[in-house]
Amino acid sequence: MQSLQKLDELLEELCEYQIDDDTLDSVSSMAGCYIFEVARRNYGGRYIWVQERDQPVLVTGEPEYSISIFAFDKVRGRIRNGKEDDIPYYFDGYIEAV
């Protein structure tokens, strides 16, 4: 889970560049998949494809409870918005919810 800080630092560097939509989609899916796998390996869950959002979601805790994360959207927000969409902070919220 500490590796998410390194990922966040890499995404911070990308904030300094103008990147096109295809590159943003590519980075969002790669980094998002990494976040998903960190979550799944530590807390379990299953992936569901959400057609309306054209991306997967990781659902953790079923059937007792259900916590979902949309990592692709979060990575896009991190690149576009900067520190206000900090990945470790987002992941800490997920951990707390689980």
Side-chain angles (χ1 to χ4, degrees):
M1 289 187 286
Q2 294 84 1
S3 65
L4 293 177
Q5 181 61 45
K6 292 289 185 192
L7 174 66
D8 193 68
E9 291 168 10
L10 290 170
L11 296 174
E12 176 69 22
E13 290 180 28
L14 287 176
C15 292
E16 299 172 15
Y17 299 95
Q18 291 288 349
I19 58 176
D20 60 54
D21 287 340
D22 288 339
T23 303
L24 181 62
D25 288 344
S26 180
V27 171
S28 296
S29 66
M30 287 186 284
C33 286
Y34 184 79
I35 294 167
F36 279 146
E37 274 301 287
V38 170
R40 190 192 62 77
R41 289 180 184 190
N42 285 279
Y43 299 99
R46 65 186 178 99
Y47 297 108
I48 299 171
W49 185 259
V50 180
Q51 192 67 36
E52 302 81 37
R53 293 177 85 163
D54 195 31
Q55 65 181 290
V57 61
L58 177 66
V59 180
T60 304
E62 292 181 323
E64 292 84 23
Y65 57 91
S66 180
I67 303 298
S68 302
I69 57 173
F70 283 94
F72 290 16
D73 283 348
K74 191 60 181 177
V75 172
R76 277 188 196 96
R78 178 64 176 94
I79 294 169
R80 287 183 177 149
N81 304 325
K83 277 288 192 192
E84 72 182 58
D85 281 316
D86 183 79
I87 299 299
Y89 180 79
Y90 176 71
F91 201 80
D92 286 345
Y94 165 76
I95 292 170
E96 190 175 306
V98 170

